[in-house]
Amino acid sequence: MAATGSLTASAPVRGRPNRVTLLRIGIIVAVLAGWELLSRSGWLYRDVVPSLFAIGKAIVALLSSGEYYFHLGVTAGEILAALAIGGVLGLIVGLLLGGNRFLAAAFESYLYYLGPTPKIIFFPILIMWFGVGPGSKIAMGVLSAFFPIALSVAAGMREIDRVLIRVGKSFRATTWQMATKIYVPAMRHPIINGVRLGLGVGLIGTLLAETKLSNKGIGYLIIQAYTLFDMPRMYAMLIVLFVLAIGANALVGRLGGLSNIKRR
Amino acid sequence: MSKASRGPNALAFAVGIGCLVVFLLVMEALIQFGFVNRFIIPPPSEVAMSFERVIVEEDILHRFLLTATECLTAGVMLTVFGVIGGVLLHRFKLLQQACETWIAAAASAPVVLMYPLFLVIFGRSAWTIIMIGFVAALPPVILKTLEGLSDTRRVLVNVGKSFNLTPMQSFWKILFPAALPTIFVGIRLGLIFALINIVGVEFLINFGGLGQLINELAERYDLAGTYAAICFVILVSVVFFMSLERIERWLRPAH
């Protein structure tokens, strides 16, 4: 019966990829057609739903403008700095908490519950501490990225196979050798996952901070488009930003070999 | 979460609290003796004293209820639409194959950055805040519902088939009850996402409950009040997360 079940289940799968692709194309076409229809219908305020042509034109204008790349560079720099600082701090704290049960029992619950709180509420304090320039945006990104990385590393450290550690010790490996040959390779998966999560929330934190108070960066451009009610430009920026964010997330996973680890 | 962090022993717990108290005392001393500028970081004693003022003068109960109502509305919406979405994806495999990766990608997309767009569509109203919370929190509910339904033990489904249950009976008697704990994990995640986004957008657009309070106090340069309000929001968030965790643990043993 089980064999029959698996046969009947696997038979339609062979023909699926084409049907799936067709359905995907159908959904995309339906959404775009619905959008265009809504845009031309006049049911919503004018320009709230701009035509696809206007959005396409705005995307082309955006991608061919030097000013956009300057602001993108500013934001990318802030996010990278935030990820580097938050990543290193998160790694250190995660290793300490993961390697010591007493420290974990004493402090990890603070991280666990502070982690999901809305970080943007700290922004007024960060402005006071780091000023209105890129410093406060980087600090916002650090604060956002730190928690998922620290928690992920701590959990990963505890999940290392004891046998691997015993093998390292039986070979009288030094602390550095233990770290580079045993701990880090064994924790590759949780570290990459933590960095991916950290990148996602760090990006949101930095960009939200830019929308609140800034004179450069992508967040500033988005809020400027809102202020000027330049809707096609705003849609264009959001679309490009979403593509970049999802792409960066996938790239971190790929560079870290996350897909290879999963396949094992 | 690890066992170590779930059931901390008394000594570790005391050390954790002790370190926090020592940190606050050191900060108090540093600020009082002028090593740290009190116009950047107010003394912890001043922050503690301003709690009462913030609670009484800033009508914090009303603001709390406003944020709670927004969260509840977004929570109800995402539960209804998220669970229905997950069930539909489970029922129609082709749809699942076509859309699951898109929904997973949407879960990692910075949806909250669309708040200016929502402002244009819904105006500067509670609906902007609710809709951001709803849209940002929807993917985990859909994905977890799908996961719960797909992971139902084969033997349970086969028992249903042996009793000749109709698809509807099979869903309500077997699939849905078996998936309920996982669905609740999704709803819990969704509610956490919703709360984060709702308070965040309240702060950003200066409208609504607790988020707006922090923004207003910061704009008035009431530093002690700002710190107190931030502490209050953190406290509310922590109590909210702990309550959800308790409910989830309470639900689990039943299945």
Side-chain angles (χ1 to χ4, degrees):
Chain A
M1 191 170 169
T4 317
S6 66
L7 272 176
T8 45
S10 62
V13 173
R14 279 182 202 144
R16 284 272 164 88
N18 283 335
R19 288 171 66 201
V20 170
T21 312
L22 281 175
L23 182 63
R24 281 182 174 165
I25 293 169
I27 292 171
I28 292 169
V29 170
V31 168
L32 294 180
W35 182 278
E36 192 61 32
L37 206 72
L38 197 65
S39 161
R40 288 167 190 236
S41 67
W43 291 335
L44 289 172
Y45 291 117
R46 194 171 158 263
D47 289 339
V48 169
V49 182
S51 72
L52 293 173
F53 177 71
I55 296 174
K57 218 169 105 180
I59 290 177
V60 172
L62 194 71
L63 294 177
S64 53
S65 125
E67 187 202 5
Y68 178 73
Y69 292 102
F70 164 73
H71 289 283
L72 186 66
V74 170
T75 302
E78 287 169 355
I79 292 168
L80 283 177
L83 196 63
I85 299 167
V88 170
L89 290 176
L91 193 68
I92 293 168
V93 172
L95 288 174
L96 285 173
L97 295 182
N100 189 312
R101 287 196 176 276
F102 184 79
L103 286 179
F107 300 109
E108 197 167 326
S109 51
Y110 292 107
L111 292 191
Y112 180 74
Y113 287 112
L114 275 176
T117 51
K119 305 293 174 314
I120 190 71
I121 59 170
F122 291 95
F123 192 52
I125 296 177
L126 298 177
I127 293 174
M128 294 301 298
W129 291 2
F130 301 101
V132 293
S136 53
K137 282 81 191 176
I138 294 171
M140 190 70 234
V142 170
L143 191 63
S144 304
F146 167 76
F147 289 96
I149 296 175
L151 288 170
S152 189
V153 170
M157 182 92 178
R158 277 193 289 268
E159 279 167 19
I160 295 178
D161 193 345
R162 292 281 122 193
V163 174
L164 293 176
I165 297 171
R166 278 203 292 271
V167 167
K169 282 183 179 165
S170 73
F171 278 105
R172 295 191 175 177
T174 60
T175 312
W176 175 251
Q177 283 172 326
M178 283 294 285
T180 53
K181 306 279 182 194
I182 309 276
Y183 294 134
V184 173
M187 286 166 54
R188 198 166 137 209
H189 194 179
I191 289 176
I192 297 161
N193 260 336
V195 171
R196 284 179 80 177
L197 288 171
L199 172 71
V201 291
L203 183 134
I204 293 174
T206 308
L207 282 160
L208 282 183
E210 282 181 355
T211 64
K212 186 68 180 167
L213 186 69
S214 183
N215 60 0
K216 45 184 178 261
I218 298 296
Y220 162 71
L221 285 186
I222 292 174
I223 212 69
Q224 196 192 36
Y226 165 71
T227 313
L228 299 172
F229 204 70
D230 188 349
M231 293 306 289
R233 188 173 158 82
M234 194 204 284
Y235 278 106
M237 270 188 293
L238 288 172
I239 290 167
V240 174
L241 185 64
F242 273 42
V243 171
L244 287 176
I246 293 169
N249 199 302
L251 189 70
V252 171
R254 188 159 287 219
L255 285 178
L258 203 61
S259 50
N260 295 335
I261 296 166
K262 273 181 181 168
R263 252 180 248 133
R264 265 175 220 161
Chain B
M1 204 190 165
S2 69
K3 280 179 187 169
S5 49
R6 268 191 187 158
N9 60 49
L11 182 64
F13 182 74
V15 168
I17 294 283
C19 284
L20 188 67
V21 173
V22 168
F23 171 75
L24 292 175
L25 288 174
V26 169
M27 284 308 294
E28 180 78 30
L30 289 174
I31 297 163
Q32 295 295 354
F33 290 111
F35 291 109
V36 174
N37 189 340
R38 63 165 56 232
F39 296 107
I40 292 177
I41 304 176
S45 57
E46 213 174 286
V47 175
M49 298 227 275
S50 62
F51 260 100
E52 190 191 348
R53 179 171 56 81
V54 169
I55 289 170
V56 176
E57 289 176 17
E58 304 297 336
D59 201 7
I60 212 158
L61 183 67
H62 173 72
R63 289 175 187 271
F64 170 73
L65 288 176
L66 202 60
T67 302
T69 311
E70 287 163 356
C71 260
L72 191 70
T73 313
V76 170
M77 283 166 63
L78 68 93
T79 302
V80 172
F81 288 98
V83 173
I84 290 174
V87 170
L88 283 176
L89 289 186
H90 180 257
R91 176 73 184 79
F92 303 103
K93 295 290 174 201
L94 188 64
L95 191 67
Q96 179 190 338
Q97 286 174 321
C99 300
E100 196 178 349
T101 44
W102 288 353
I103 297 168
S108 65
V111 175
V112 69
L113 287 163
M114 287 165 66
Y115 81 88
L117 184 64
F118 282 67
L119 269 177
V120 173
I121 297 170
F122 297 101
R124 197 165 159 272
S125 70
W127 277 108
T128 293
I129 299 165
I130 293 167
M131 288 309 288
I132 281 279
F134 165 65
V135 173
L138 193 60
V141 185
I142 296 177
L143 293 175
K144 278 287 169 189
T145 304
L146 181 60
E147 185 189 315
L149 292 170
S150 304
D151 288 353
T152 304
R153 282 165 58 206
R154 202 71 216 157
V155 67
L156 295 177
V157 179
N158 288 339
V159 168
K161 281 181 185 164
S162 73
F163 279 103
N164 281 332
L165 296 185
T166 61
M168 199 53 107
Q169 283 173 322
S170 176
F171 176 78
W172 286 113
K173 305 276 182 197
I174 294 169
L175 284 172
F176 191 71
L180 202 57
T182 316
I183 292 175
F184 190 79
V185 173
I187 294 172
R188 182 172 72 87
L189 284 173
L191 283 171
I192 292 172
F193 278 26
L195 177 76
I196 293 171
N197 285 291
I198 283 171
V199 175
V201 176
E202 279 182 350
F203 169 78
L204 288 166
I205 70 171
N206 196 21
F207 187 90
L210 296 172
Q212 187 199 22
L213 172 66
I214 295 170
N215 193 51
E216 275 184 4
L217 291 167
E219 281 181 2
R220 272 188 250 152
Y221 199 66
D222 180 352
L223 265 191
T226 307
Y227 276 71
I230 290 171
C231 290
F232 186 80
V233 172
I234 291 170
L235 203 68
V236 168
S237 308
V238 170
V239 170
F240 182 69
F241 305 147
M242 287 172 105
S243 316
L244 287 175
E245 223 174 37
R246 283 276 162 93
I247 296 170
E248 191 187 321
R249 256 184 256 159
W250 175 70
L251 265 176
R252 277 205 176 266
H255 298 274

